[in-house]
């Protein structure tokens, strides 16, 4: 199948590009980062994104969505990445609603998906319990008690965990840490008794939170999918999240690279533009090549997610690992090529560097995904 | 109702089933590549049969016009043929600079007489072509070439030296870039096609670090070449040669889709470094291999994207110019990986104590170092990207 965008997809991309350039330029991110009262994103911007239908872009029409497909979601993520626009797209739409779409019962889908599409419900997915993404290491325990479960433990670095109304929580109902076998997914209200939420301030100013579960009671009807067998839905949801995040990072690195290129053509030293120096030209050409390869992989992965292909896990790991390396390098090179300017708060490049490192760790570092890719390929 | 393309697929599949000899469906063995030529050598008799059958269909050059002996297929049909060949792991019937480079150039720039004389013998492998581009003083700076063609009215007299001429000692004809004007650089270059048996041409093989000699020096000493040997215009050779380099690049792209199955590097690594369950025991090698595999696959996806974009009519220049250097660097790294996992067993030169494949790995590792030098160095490719694509000047 070709990865050339259809006419509709091109229209969506053009629309999203001008939308973020106009409504959410990097200056908005600059404004929001010091605003401790804010939700970490602009509510007005999110309202406009909802009005465009983007919260339901990959949700079926039966649940009030557009049914446009996962490629469409990727296109919006990529364009949002260019301007570092913060929104609940990843946490609520890709991960939260994604888990419900893949694993939810009819009743859960009926109750929750239209609420997401309408903008009445923010979701977050609580997976990691330490500084490194690794769902197999889940320890948070869910013990059955009558028709319910009692949750004890903690979650960390939960994307948008501080603003979500409802959480999708991965908990251990059997098995041992080190494997995703024996995990179950639960829907937990953010205001459930025994659940405390602490926002953490990150270098990229994006939302993340620590969650403490102390005897949190969850009804059996709030199990998402199968008990003890949540791994399949969990991994499929995370793979969609990894690919969508890779798309966001792809957009961000393209913009960072364009900023670099503009500077190389404008900054003069020794009486000439620094872009005339071969030492910088070759590095720029290599960055360009990395971006082109990342595009090919991310677009292929978006297609694999849209069509629920068998090679989705391999492509998700490949996309995240490749994009991690490329964005890492481009953001570092960006600071170096901007020189002293790159070290100043006034220059946007610092924002791209900060976002790069957080995004690299979110949903799996390069080494995590290289190891997973090796396992998936039988070595 | 079945589409004509599906019909073509069924017919092709049936024909290949009947006509592709069994040993031609196995991975190519060293030395069994078929280059053709006046003194063609076939180490495997089935190679000869396979070439003859494919050439008779015109399928060594599937998209060339049938009036010259080509297959006359459209792009979609050629795609089907390529898929069907890949399906049965068929070997390439003919390895040929004629098919890949000078043939397409003659189709675009050649005279009718040149096409009629040369295309049929390229298609059936009767003539082996070599390429006279680089000179001792003109490598990356190709347009600095000095081999001189003096205009003597009805013919040229050519004097000079070429280097890195692939298989010049075995080839029958050469397409060669010569200087016809010494006043200007790029605009003083002409492409000639010359029979290697012409008096005054001599060759001398160059021994490489790998021990083999695939390249030669080629000398032109008062060689008389008729005027009808010019491809395109006199002093218009630079444009012709650039077009030819594009064909070379496209061929490299097509090559990445070649029918051969890749070696299972995972299993090879476990053989040399041990396994823990199904995993490679050494975590560093395992990580390195995952990275290599990702680079391979992303390069293939990028090549596929170029082709899809070309089909859709959107621009391709930006992306195709990076393929050569990415592929070259990847292949060099692959061979360094072989050395890493095989250790000293990959460093034998010859004789006992080393398997055939270990000795071959060593020679191929040495050969791979040329990947980023031949056909445009990595540095030149990066220059092209920086200047032409990114606009850094």
């Amino acid at each position: 199948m070709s990865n050339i965008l259809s006419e509709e997809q091109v229209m969506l991309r053009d629309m999203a590009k001008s939308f973020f350039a106009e409504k959410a330029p990097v200056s908005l991110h600059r404004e929001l980062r010091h605003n401790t009262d804010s939700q970490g994103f602009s509510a007005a911007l999110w309202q406009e994104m909802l009005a465009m239908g983007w919260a339901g872009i990959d949700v079926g029409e039966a649940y009030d969505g557009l049914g446009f497909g996962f490629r469409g979601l990727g296109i919006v993520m990529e364009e949002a990445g260019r301007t570092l626009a913060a929104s609940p797209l990843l946490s609520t739409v890709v991960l939260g609603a994604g888990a419900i779409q893949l694993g939810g019962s009819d009743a859960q889908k009926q109750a929750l998906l239209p609420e997401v599409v309408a903008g009445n419900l923010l979701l977050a997915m609580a997976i990691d319990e330490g500084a490194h993404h690794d769902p197999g290491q889940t320890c948070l325990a869910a013990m059955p008690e009558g028709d319910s479960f009692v949750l004890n433990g903690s979650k960390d670095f939960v994307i948008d965990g501080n603003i979500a109304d409802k959480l999708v929580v991965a908990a251990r109902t059997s098995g041992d840490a080190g494997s995703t076998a024996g995990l179950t997914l639960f829907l937990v209200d953010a205001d459930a008794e025994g659940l405390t939420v602490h926002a953490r301030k990150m270098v990229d100013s994006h939302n993340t939170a620590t969650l403490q579960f102390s005897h949190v009671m969850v009804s059996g009807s709030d199990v998402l999918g199968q008990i003890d067998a949540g791994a399949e839905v969990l991994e499929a949801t995370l793979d969609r999240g990894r690919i969508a995040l890779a798309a966001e990072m792809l957009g961000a690195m393209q913009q960072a690279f364009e900023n670099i290129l503009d500077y190389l053509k404008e900054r003069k030293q020794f009486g000439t533009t620094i872009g005339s120096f071969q030492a910088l030209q070759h590095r720029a050409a290599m960055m360009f090549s990395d971006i082109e390869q990342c595009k090919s992989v991310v677009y292929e992965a978006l297609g694999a997610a849209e069509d629920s292909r068998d090679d989705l896990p391999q492509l998700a790991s490949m996309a995240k690992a490749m994009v991690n390396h490329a964005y890492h390098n481009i953001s570092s090179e960006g600071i170096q090529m901007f020189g002293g300017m790159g070290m100043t708060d006034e220059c946007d490049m610092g924002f791209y560097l900060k976002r790069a490192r957080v995004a690299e760790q979110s949903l799996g570092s390069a080494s995590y995904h290289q190891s997973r890719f090796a396992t998936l390929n039988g070595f | 109702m079945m589409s004509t393309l599906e019909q073509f697929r069924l017919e092709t599949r049936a024909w290949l089933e009947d006509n592709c000899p069994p040993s031609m469906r196995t991975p190519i063995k060293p030395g069994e590549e078929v280059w053709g030529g006046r003194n063609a050598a076939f180490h495997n008799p089935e190679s000869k049969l396979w070439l003859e059958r494919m050439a008779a269909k015109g399928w060594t050059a599937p998209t060339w016009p049938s009036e010259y002996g080509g297959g006359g297929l459209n792009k979609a049909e050629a795609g089907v043929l390529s898929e069907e060949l890949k399906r049965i792991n068929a070997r390439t019937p003919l390895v040929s600079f004629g098919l890949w480079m000078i043939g397409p150039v003659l189709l675009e720039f050649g005279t009718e007489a040149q096409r009629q004389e040369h295309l049929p013998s390229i298609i059936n492998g009767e003539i082996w072509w070599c390429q006279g581009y680089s000179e001792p003083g003109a490598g990356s700076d190709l347009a600095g070439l000095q081999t001189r063609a003096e205009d003597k009215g009805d013919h040229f007299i050519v004097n000079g030296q070429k280097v890195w001429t692939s298989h010049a000692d075995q080839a029958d004809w050469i397409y060669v870039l010569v200087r016809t004007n010494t006043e200007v650089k790029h605009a003083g270059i002409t492409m000639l096609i010359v029979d290697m048996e012409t008096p005054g041409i001599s060759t001398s093989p160059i021994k490489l670090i790998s021990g083999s000699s695939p390249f030669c020096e080629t000398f032109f000493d008062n060689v008389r070449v008729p005027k009808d040997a010019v491809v395109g215009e006199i002093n218009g050779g630079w444009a012709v040669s650039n077009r030819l380099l594009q064909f070379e690049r496209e061929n490299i792209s097509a090559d990445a889709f070649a029918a051969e199955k890749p070696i299972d590097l995972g299993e090879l690594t476990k053989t040399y470094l041990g396994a823990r369950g199904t995993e490679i025991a050494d975590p560093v090698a395992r990580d390195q291999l995952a990275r290599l595999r990702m680079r391979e696959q992303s390069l293939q996806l990028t090549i596929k994207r170029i082709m899809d974009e070309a089909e859709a009519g959107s621009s391709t220049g930006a992306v195709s110019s990076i393929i050569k250097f990415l592929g070259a660097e990847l292949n060099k790294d692959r061979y360094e990986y072989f050395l890493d996992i095989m250790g000293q067993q990959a460093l034998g030169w010859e004789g006992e104590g080393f398997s055939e494949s270990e000795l071959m790995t060593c020679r191929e590792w040495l050969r791979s170092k040329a990947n980023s030098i031949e056909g445009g160095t990595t540095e030149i490719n990066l220059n092209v990207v920086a200047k032409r694509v990114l606009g850094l000047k």
Side-chain angles (χ1 to χ4, degrees):
Chain A
M1 165 117 199
S2 161
N3 287 321
I4 304 295
L5 295 186
S6 69
E7 214 167 297
E8 273 181 318
Q9 288 164 344
V10 169
M11 274 173 60
L12 174 65
R13 188 195 57 200
D14 293 346
M15 198 191 299
K17 192 186 287 271
S18 53
F19 176 88
F20 288 109
E22 194 185 316
K23 316 265 184 186
V26 181
S27 57
L28 178 69
H29 173 73
R30 195 178 275 280
E31 229 172 87
L32 283 171
R33 66 179 165 150
H34 295 311
N35 187 347
T36 46
D37 297 334
S38 88
Q39 287 202 302
F41 61 89
S42 155
L45 179 75
W46 181 232
Q47 282 307 315
E48 292 200 54
M49 290 170 72
L50 290 167
M52 306 281 274
W54 289 346
I57 202 163
D58 187 39
V59 175
E61 287 170 22
Y63 307 109
D64 301 345
L66 297 179
F68 193 90
F70 198 76
R71 279 192 180 88
L73 197 45
I75 288 167
V76 175
M77 289 292 295
E78 183 179 346
E79 296 307 325
R82 278 186 172 268
T83 68
L84 301 165
S87 82
L89 266 186
L90 180 62
S91 59
T92 298
V93 177
V94 180
L95 293 172
I100 294 163
Q101 278 169 282
L102 292 174
S105 64
D106 274 349
Q108 287 166 334
K109 289 181 191 172
Q110 293 286 357
L112 300 174
L113 293 178
E115 293 296 295
V116 169
V117 174
N120 300 325
L121 184 66
L122 293 180
L123 302 171
M125 195 149 183
I127 310 297
D128 295 330
E129 300 178 9
H132 299 278
H133 173 74
D134 190 352
Q137 294 301 327
T138 298
C139 291
L140 188 139
M143 303 293 286
E145 194 175 297
D147 289 342
S148 298
F149 288 83
V150 181
L151 272 55
N152 275 296
S154 69
K155 291 287 176 185
D156 212 346
F157 300 106
V158 178
I159 302 166
D160 284 342
N162 53 322
I163 56 160
D165 305 305
K166 203 181 262 297
L167 302 152
V168 177
V169 181
R172 189 162 290 286
T173 40
S174 69
D176 296 310
S179 163
T180 52
L183 297 185
T184 305
L185 297 178
F186 294 92
L187 288 161
V188 181
D189 284 330
D191 59 5
E193 202 172 322
L195 172 59
T196 50
V197 178
H198 294 287
R200 300 186 71 167
K201 278 189 84 72
M202 301 298 286
V203 70
D204 67 340
S205 308
H206 279 221
N207 284 327
T208 192
T210 301
L211 275 48
Q212 286 289 341
F213 292 77
S214 178
H215 300 288
V216 175
M217 292 284 290
V218 181
S219 148
S221 64
D222 284 329
V223 169
L224 189 64
Q226 304 294 313
I227 294 167
D228 287 346
E232 199 180 323
V233 171
L234 173 66
E235 284 293 0
T237 306
L238 288 173
D239 278 338
R240 288 158 61 100
R242 288 156 182 155
I243 294 166
L245 179 57
E248 182 208 308
M249 295 166 76
L250 175 65
M253 74 167 96
Q254 286 178 85
Q255 188 60 53
F257 181 66
E258 285 168 27
N259 292 4
I260 293 169
L261 216 47
D262 287 345
Y263 192 69
L264 292 180
K265 290 175 184 176
E266 153 200 317
R267 167 76 173 165
K268 287 191 171 165
Q269 286 288 278
F270 305 102
T272 180
T273 55
I274 59 173
S276 67
F277 302 137
Q278 200 176 42
L280 300 184
Q281 287 180 351
H282 283 188
R283 280 150 67 188
M286 284 192 263
M287 286 189 251
F288 173 78
S289 308
D290 285 346
I291 291 173
E292 288 300 324
Q293 292 199 93
C294 284
K295 271 189 203 168
S296 311
V297 175
V298 169
Y299 296 164
E300 181 78 5
L302 286 168
E306 178 160 313
D307 305 334
S308 301
R309 273 160 40 188
D310 290 343
D311 58 351
L312 173 65
Q314 282 93 326
L315 278 164
S317 278
M318 186 158 100
K320 188 63 174 38
M322 297 281 298
V323 162
N324 275 0
H325 286 293
Y327 191 15
H328 184 102
N329 180 51
I330 288 170
S331 56
S332 292
E333 284 282 64
I335 301 291
Q336 178 67 19
M337 291 193 180
F338 269 85
M341 269 306 293
M343 292 300 295
T344 65
D345 187 68
E346 185 193 336
C347 178
D348 288 343
M349 194 52 66
F351 293 143
Y352 287 93
L353 174 75
K354 292 167 180 173
R355 179 64 189 139
R357 293 303 178 276
V358 175
E360 282 168 49
Q361 292 295 328
S362 288
L363 304 179
S365 65
S367 64
Y368 173 81
H369 283 295
Q370 279 150 209
S371 173
R372 182 170 180 257
F373 181 86
T375 304
L376 290 166
N377 280 288
F379 62 87
Chain B
M1 209 185 105
M2 197 182 287
S3 74
T4 43
L5 199 60
E6 280 312 297
Q7 185 68 40
F8 176 75
R9 184 184 295 279
L10 290 183
E11 287 166 12
T12 303
R13 188 171 293 186
W15 187 87
L16 289 174
E17 206 44 64
D18 292 341
N19 289 282
C20 184
S23 69
M24 293 297 105
R25 306 179 193 203
T26 61
I28 188 98
K29 291 193 186 124
E32 287 198 3
E33 297 89 359
V34 174
W35 289 81
R38 287 173 183 143
N39 306 310
F42 296 94
H43 295 285
N44 175 344
E46 288 189 339
S47 301
K48 186 163 187 278
L49 194 62
W50 178 225
L51 171 59
E52 285 167 357
R53 287 173 175 173
M54 284 292 277
K57 295 282 276 186
W59 283 358
T60 50
T63 59
W64 292 9
S66 39
E67 55 183 303
Y68 305 116
L73 303 185
N74 63 34
K75 231 176 150 181
E77 289 165 340
V80 167
L81 172 60
S82 155
E83 283 164 19
E84 291 303 315
L85 286 165
K86 195 170 173 176
R87 201 180 65 85
I88 59 168
N89 293 317
R91 291 187 190 177
T92 308
L94 179 62
V95 180
S96 160
F97 281 23
L99 288 175
W100 300 334
M101 290 180 268
I102 189 64
V105 160
L106 290 179
L107 277 170
E108 205 169 308
F109 296 92
T111 62
E112 188 52 38
Q114 286 171 338
R115 289 182 206 165
Q116 289 192 3
E117 179 182 357
H118 296 293
L119 296 182
S121 62
I122 288 173
I123 291 163
N124 62 28
E126 275 169 25
I127 294 296
W128 181 339
W129 283 82
C130 63
Q131 166 172 307
Y133 270 34
S134 297
E135 295 179 6
S140 285
D141 183 13
L142 180 61
L145 60 94
Q146 299 296 330
T147 295
R148 183 89 173 92
E150 262 180 289
D151 197 329
K152 297 287 185 186
D154 67 335
H155 66 277
F156 295 104
I157 293 293
V158 180
N159 278 292
Q161 183 194 339
K162 293 288 171 182
V163 73
W164 310 124
T165 327
S166 303
H167 307 292
D169 51 347
Q170 297 166 76
D172 307 307
W173 275 69
I174 187 169
Y175 52 95
V176 58
L177 293 180
V178 295
R179 181 153 298 288
T180 36
N181 182 336
T182 52
E183 306 291 311
V184 285
K185 192 173 177 183
H186 296 79
I189 294 171
T190 301
M191 182 183 283
L192 302 176
I193 46 179
V194 186
D195 191 326
M196 290 293 280
E197 286 180 358
T198 313
I201 299 180
S202 59
T203 63
S204 163
I206 303 166
K207 190 171 178 182
L208 299 185
I209 52 176
S210 61
S212 71
S213 308
F215 301 111
C216 293
E217 296 175 291
T218 305
F219 302 93
F220 294 82
D221 182 17
N222 287 318
V223 178
R224 187 190 164 103
V225 178
K227 277 289 180 62
D228 62 8
V230 173
V231 180
E233 305 286 327
I234 294 179
N235 292 326
W238 188 247
V240 181
S241 103
N242 274 331
R243 189 76 183 101
L244 190 139
L245 284 174
Q246 272 178 2
F247 290 126
E248 185 172 10
R249 262 212 307 262
E250 280 166 26
N251 177 62
I252 290 167
S253 305
D255 216 30
F257 284 105
E260 291 160 55
K261 276 190 175 163
I263 302 165
D264 189 336
L265 283 179
E267 290 311 309
L268 191 75
T269 309
K270 289 179 208 171
T271 305
Y272 281 91
L273 290 178
R276 195 169 290 136
T278 57
E279 286 184 10
I280 293 166
D282 181 327
V284 175
R286 183 167 176 263
D287 190 63
Q288 274 183 321
L289 179 56
R291 285 276 278 152
L292 271 180
R293 292 283 299 273
M294 287 181 180
R295 285 169 64 194
E296 269 167 22
Q297 287 181 31
S298 68
L299 181 58
Q300 290 209 348
L301 287 170
T302 304
I303 292 166
K304 180 170 174 289
R305 186 159 65 87
I306 295 173
M307 289 178 164
D308 289 347
E309 283 175 357
E311 208 130 305
S314 45
S315 84
T316 65
V319 188
S320 63
S321 51
I322 66 176
I323 297 299
K324 164 70 171 61
F325 101 83
L326 286 173
E329 298 302 323
L330 173 62
N331 203 45
K332 287 198 299 181
D333 289 348
R334 268 171 60 93
Y335 277 102
E336 292 296 346
Y337 177 78
F338 277 114
L339 262 56
D340 279 347
I341 62 169
M342 292 161 80
Q344 305 246 36
Q345 282 302 120
L347 293 171
W349 185 249
E350 60 191 10
E352 284 178 19
F354 302 100
S355 72
E356 198 181 322
S357 73
E358 285 167 347
L359 291 171
M360 207 169 73
T361 298
C362 181
R363 304 300 179 105
E364 286 175 351
W365 159 68
L366 288 162
R367 170 67 184 84
S368 73
K369 293 299 175 197
N371 293 160
S372 54
I373 301 168
E374 59 204 350
T377 63
T378 285
E379 288 72 19
I380 288 290
N381 280 300
L382 290 172
N383 280 351
V384 169
V385 174
K387 291 188 163 63
R388 294 198 204 145
V389 183
L390 303 179
L392 296 172
K393 291 183 170 101

